[in-house]
Amino acid sequence: MAKVLPISSSQLSIFFILSFFTITFVAGESYGYARTLDRKLYNLKKEKLSHFRLFWHDTYSGKNPSAVKVVSSPTNSSTLFGAISMIDDPLTEGPELSSKLVGKAQGMYASAAQEEFGLMMVMNFVFMEGKYNGSTITILGRNKVFSDVREMPVIGGSGLFRYARGYVHASTSKNDMTTGDAVVEYNIYVLHY
Ligand SMILES: *[C@@H]1O[C@H](CO)[C@@H](O)[C@H](O)[C@H]1NC(C)=O
Ligand SMILES: *[C@@H]1O[C@H](CO)[C@@H](O)[C@H](O)[C@H]1NC(C)=O
């Protein structure tokens, strides 16, 4: 059994006095270009967890492709190592492209693996709807596209998603191997204020 040492009230008050001086001293260190802000004044009181379920439409075919290959693989590898595509993909509420448009996935992805087919994704999900209009979530991660569920980090955001962090789970719902067109379900779990 651990023995609990009794602490007298005078010991306690010495402790509080010492911590008070330490805090004052540290906070008192001043730089002209930096200062500590009261987070309450910036509306950063309570962090929320939000979930979004969106469908990402990557279309190479047709007259209005939302994805374009900007660099072809300079090697002839089966994993297309080195290929880069730029995207401005619609994000919709349902799996059909005709369902409600909620935002766009703007960014690029590159074949970053030599041994298997794996992409490095760099995307800003820009919301275009309701209170989220104009706010963005930034996703950067590894996408092993032939796995059932791929997890990628949410590394930040803007607007309503300032200070965002979290992850997405991406799973392919449709994939046309001839055209390269794909529909992917994105489940986004994000902490923000
Ligand atoms: C890739 O293949 C093409 C034709 O099949 C060939 O002309 C080219 O030299 C190859 N490139 C490399 C880097 O092997
Ligand atoms: C979103 O914001 C833009 C301006 O930033 C505005 O033109 C547009 O109508 C808004 N859309 C919705 C659905 O509120």
Side-chain angles (χ1 to χ4, degrees):
M1 282 277 270
K3 206 171 161 198
V4 179
L5 290 174
I7 298 172
S8 72
S9 62
S10 64
Q11 276 173 318
L12 258 186
S13 42
I14 286 169
F15 172 75
F16 282 122
I17 289 165
L18 281 179
S19 25
F20 175 75
F21 279 121
T22 316
I23 289 161
T24 329
F25 183 72
V26 171
E29 202 173 339
S30 103
Y31 299 91
Y33 57 84
R35 64 201 169 109
T36 303
L37 299 174
D38 181 354
R39 61 159 67 197
K40 288 194 192 76
L41 299 178
Y42 286 79
N43 242 332
L44 302 177
K45 274 171 266 178
K46 202 166 186 310
E47 208 171 25
K48 303 189 269 285
L49 174 64
S50 300
H51 170 232
F52 299 89
R53 178 170 178 254
L54 301 172
F55 289 84
W56 179 95
H57 301 264
D58 205 31
T59 310
Y60 284 90
S61 64
K63 279 197 290 269
N64 291 309
S66 63
V68 287
K69 183 174 270 186
V70 290
V71 177
S72 291
S73 175
T75 68
N76 285 330
S77 78
S78 59
T79 65
L80 302 178
F81 182 59
I84 302 176
S85 290
M86 292 294 309
I87 60 165
D88 187 10
D89 286 348
L91 294 166
T92 61
E93 210 171 63
E96 301 306 324
L97 185 53
S98 56
S99 69
K100 190 178 187 179
L101 181 70
V102 175
K104 293 291 202 77
Q106 299 175 336
M108 58 197 258
Y109 52 79
S111 286
Q114 299 195 73
E115 313 293 329
E116 64 200 352
F117 195 63
L119 303 177
M120 179 192 66
M121 312 287 289
V122 185
M123 296 187 290
N124 293 312
F125 278 20
V126 191
F127 286 81
M128 296 161 61
E129 244 272 306
K131 69 169 179 175
Y132 298 110
N133 192 7
S135 293
T136 65
I137 287 176
T138 301
I139 296 161
L140 193 157
R142 173 172 183 256
N143 187 0
K144 225 180 112 186
V145 287
F146 294 115
S147 301
D148 287 347
V149 182
R150 293 86 72 182
E151 182 169 319
M152 290 172 266
V154 168
I155 60 161
S158 71
L160 282 186
F161 302 110
R162 284 177 188 164
Y163 300 101
R165 58 207 165 91
Y167 63 94
V168 301
H169 277 164
S171 46
T172 305
S173 76
K174 243 192 246 172
N175 186 15
D176 183 329
M177 294 298 268
T178 3
T179 57
D181 295 356
V183 179
V184 177
E185 178 179 336
Y186 270 79
N187 280 281
I188 308 165
Y189 299 86
V190 63
L191 285 168
H192 61 103
Y193 288 93

